[in-house]
């Protein structure tokens, strides 16, 4: 076995395995669609996969086989009445990514689980781009904390105004790499990366159709509003989002107020949207249209958190809306 | 069901689920040891779990049950000859973390899979700290690219000189949040966060005992050196590590040379070590001792990559060394 059996391309570019797959997502050309909904939790990915054409059972119970590849053939009897067979393929990578590829109302679409954090979003965008050609349309369906009274728990924020990024500045504790003396404010505010207007509008329209006012009330959890706003992404769920933890020297007590002072329209706080929108702009290999919808699981102003039994209902309705929105322009 | 059934603590602190578990790792007090080896890939976690006392089969084939909890009882007949029963518990969280807890030579230890990227390391350190008391000892066993000729593929780098962090500066493309004009260099160099000396020394000693010169040669893949050096962590496997991808406007062609000019002792390039060492220093709830060993899968100077069949052999030998090192001081 030669030393190149792991990577076909060299160590200083985008490495591919011997069977032509990108290293971390384990996908090759043809295994991911140009329309994509990306999610952060495995359960949400399975709910969305169960909505694809011809999928009559959820993917939750599908076995994890040795080939790491899982193909379900179904008679397509749920949506368009066709009698043709529809296939949904599920691939799990050793690095925690899961990709379901099939069709929604006949349009090819993939659902990609990336777990959490902006480096994972970076792996996803770059490795999907490496094994696709032509335009990409990417919708993130995530979860977030709400930053405004009009985004109570159970509502959905669309990042139609784009996203800013907040990161901890380690130099304020450790010193700079060059000089070794501590330097700068403890948190850095970056941005704004804009969202794609056309895709954001489609997402707002479809989410309102599925959700607005519909999933709230009965459990005392408030209404289900759909609101376009500015997103804020952070490099930590804890320090950079201003959550207080006496176990760490975080110097973060004023982050929330600083953010809202700089950006009064900031509505959602999470960890991935900025990198998606930013990389969509940096791509020079065909167009990447990107936007994000995030379900509000906590509200930082009301100091409130969602009841757990509401989440999967909202994920399902928001998932249907995200699939309708991303496929509404056809196959790019 | 009340709105607090998901989170026991409020939205502005460290949230816990109704059964007392931290939200993303899904662990509660007693489910994670104070000695920990943390890994990035599921397979590596399973190899290490198979080395725990009384574990006679690998965890790879264990089922994923509905309770998300998996307890293996074994007669402890492999290491110390005792006839008592040893238990290894495996917990998989919905967010992609997997924790195996048991004992190694009778000392409690956990193996925690965190996947990739520094925000995942942040989740791990903060949530483990939230559900433990007393000192913590944490060894990362990861993979990396080698930056020096004395770290060929198959060798192991110990971050005994600490770690620096390199991140993309989005303001150089998107503009600052405050002013909207582009600003600064495209990449920011942060650091140095030091490693714990005592734990680094134990790690070097045990790795040399298991590996130095032993696992190389026969497949033409070079020797297996164990080298103490400075680590460099990055927020991307691609742009911030200077890998060239014509699909994106990355402006990153001089990162490798800039890093080696600033830090000639930099030996390993990966994504997580800095955040581990940095958070160990920021912790004010008992002491956290932390160090990291990373297996060299590619060498950026030689432009070489490892043969895939060598990896699991080295992971197993390095895993044994990491378990010996982290447990060598007893239960903290």
């Amino acid at each position: 076995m030669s030393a190149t059996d792991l990577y076909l391309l060299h160590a200083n570019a985008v490495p591919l395995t011997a069977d032509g797959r990108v290293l971390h997502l384990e996908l090759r050309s043809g295994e991911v669609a140009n329309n994509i909904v990306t999610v952060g939790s495995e359960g949400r990915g399975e709910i969305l996969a169960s909505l694809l054409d011809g999928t009559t059972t959820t993917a939750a119970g599908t076995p994890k086989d040795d080939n790491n590849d899982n193909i379900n053939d179904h008679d397509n009897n749920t949506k368009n009445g066709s009698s043709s067979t529809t296939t949904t393929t599920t691939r799990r990578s050793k690095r925690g990514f899961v990709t379901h590829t099939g069709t929604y109302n006949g349009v090819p679409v993939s659902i990609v689980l990336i777990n959490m954090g902006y480096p994972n979003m970076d792996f996803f965008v770059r490795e999907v781009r490496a094994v696709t050609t032509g335009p990409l349309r990417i919708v993130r369906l995530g979860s977030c904390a709400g930053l405004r009274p009009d985004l109570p728990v159970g509502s959905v924020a669309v990042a139609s105004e784009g996203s800013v990024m907040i990161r901890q500045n380690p130099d304020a504790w450790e010193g700079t790499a060059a000089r070794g003396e501590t330097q700068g404010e403890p948190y850095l505010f970056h941005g704004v990366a804009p969202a794609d207007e056309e895709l954001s509008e489609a997402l707002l329209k479809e989410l309102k159709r599925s959700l607005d006012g519909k999933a709230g009330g009965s459990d005392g959890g408030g209404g289900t509003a759909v609101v376009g706003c500015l997103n804020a992404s952070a490099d930590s769920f804890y320090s950079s989002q201003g959550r207080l933890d006496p176990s760490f020297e975080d110097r973060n007590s004023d982050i929330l107020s600083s953010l809202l002072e700089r950006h009064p329209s900031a509505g959602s706080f999470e960890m991935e949207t900025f990198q998606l929108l930013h990389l969509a702009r940096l791509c020079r290999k065909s167009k990447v249209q990107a936007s994000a919808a995030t379900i509000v699981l906590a509200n930082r102003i009301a100091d409130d958190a969602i009841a757990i039994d509401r989440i999967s209902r909202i994920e399902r309705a928001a998932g249907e809306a995200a699939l309708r929105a991303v496929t509404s322009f056809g196959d790019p």
Side-chain angles (χ1 to χ4, degrees), chain A residues 23-74:
Chain A
L23 201 56
H24 305 88
L25 272 65
E26 294 181 22
L27 299 171
R28 64 183 163 204
S29 176
E31 292 181 341
V32 60
N34 287 55
N35 288 323
I36 303 173
V37 179
T38 181
V39 299
S41 84
E42 186 157 3
R44 196 178 311 136
E46 288 166 355
I47 289 171
L48 266 74
S50 76
L51 301 171
L52 296 183
D53 295 337
T55 308
T56 50
T57 55
T58 69
T62 53
K64 204 169 152 184
D65 71 15
D66 286 339
N67 276 331
N68 217 16
D69 206 0
N70 176 30
I71 296 177
N72 303 316
D73 290 310
H74 310 272

Side-chain angles (χ1 to χ4, degrees), chain A residues 277-295:
Chain A
L277 305 183
H278 178 56
L279 285 180
R281 297 233 296 171
L282 262 57
C283 185
R284 52 190 181 190
K285 175 188 175 187
S286 295
K287 188 175 182 180
V288 180
Q289 291 180 275
S291 189
T294 48
I295 301 166

Side-chain angles (χ1 to χ4, degrees), chain A residues 167-187:
Chain A
R167 299 190 301 200
Q168 203 215 43
N169 170 24
D171 291 350
W173 287 264
E174 304 286 0
T176 62
R179 286 189 302 273
E181 62 203 29
T182 61
Q183 188 175 296
E185 294 296 312
Y187 294 88

